[in-house]
Amino acid sequence: APAEDIREQVRALMDDACSVIRTEEQLRVALRAIKRMRKQGVSACGTTLARALEAWNILVTAELVVTAALARDESRGPHLRFAGSTSFEPLPSREPDWRQYIVLRAAEGEPTVERRTPVQLTLPAGSDTITY
């Protein structure tokens, strides 16, 4: 597909599905569309090679963002996750369950999600500093 078309389609998908108000259904629709576009490829016809490569990178980045958004099935800060398009109440934040971060890795061309818990530093008793 032409690079400029890809850029515009991804921009619209991300506005619709991955803004601060999200549903699993919207995210899944966006992910399927992004995967279709990646499979179809990006054409440099009518533009520069740099612009086509940017469009490809936009596709890859959008896939990673949507994959991470699907993995975090709660509301967090201003990002509100709803159970469905007819829901009026956002899903609650699940503290402390989500005191973790998401690592995306490539596995046979597809991103895989790995959840990790940050390292918790414990200060020695009676100390308020850490020495290395």
Side-chain angles (χ1 to χ4, degrees):
E4 296 308 316
D5 291 354
I6 294 289
R7 295 169 72 94
E8 188 55 41
Q9 288 173 34
V10 171
R11 183 178 301 118
L13 274 173
M14 296 303 280
D15 280 349
D16 289 344
C18 212
S19 64
V20 295
I21 297 175
R22 305 170 177 174
T23 67
E24 181 178 355
E25 178 184 350
Q26 289 174 309
L27 292 168
R28 292 202 182 281
V29 166
L31 188 58
R32 283 192 300 272
I34 290 166
K35 287 178 184 262
R36 271 193 311 272
M37 284 186 265
R38 280 190 62 201
K39 190 173 186 175
Q40 182 181 9
V42 177
S43 169
C45 188
T47 191
T48 64
L49 179 58
R51 195 82 170 153
L53 289 172
E54 273 183 358
W56 180 257
N57 287 335
I58 287 169
L59 266 175
V60 171
T61 302
E63 182 177 15
L64 295 172
V65 169
V66 172
T67 300
L70 274 166
R72 187 176 286 280
D73 57 350
E74 63 154 7
S75 294
R76 174 66 53 173
H79 297 270
L80 301 177
R81 179 76 177 262
F82 289 84
S85 59
T86 59
S87 299
F88 293 107
E89 290 291 322
L91 296 173
S93 175
R94 293 192 329 262
E95 287 288 342
D97 296 342
W98 263 107
R99 287 191 185 159
Q100 52 187 283
Y101 56 96
I102 297 169
V103 176
L104 298 169
R105 297 185 180 276
E108 299 180 24
E110 295 292 321
T112 60
V113 175
E114 181 182 322
R115 295 177 182 180
R116 292 189 183 171
T117 303
V119 173
Q120 300 294 316
L121 296 177
T122 305
L123 297 175
S127 175
D128 59 356
T129 60
I130 299 174
T131 41
Y132 297 95

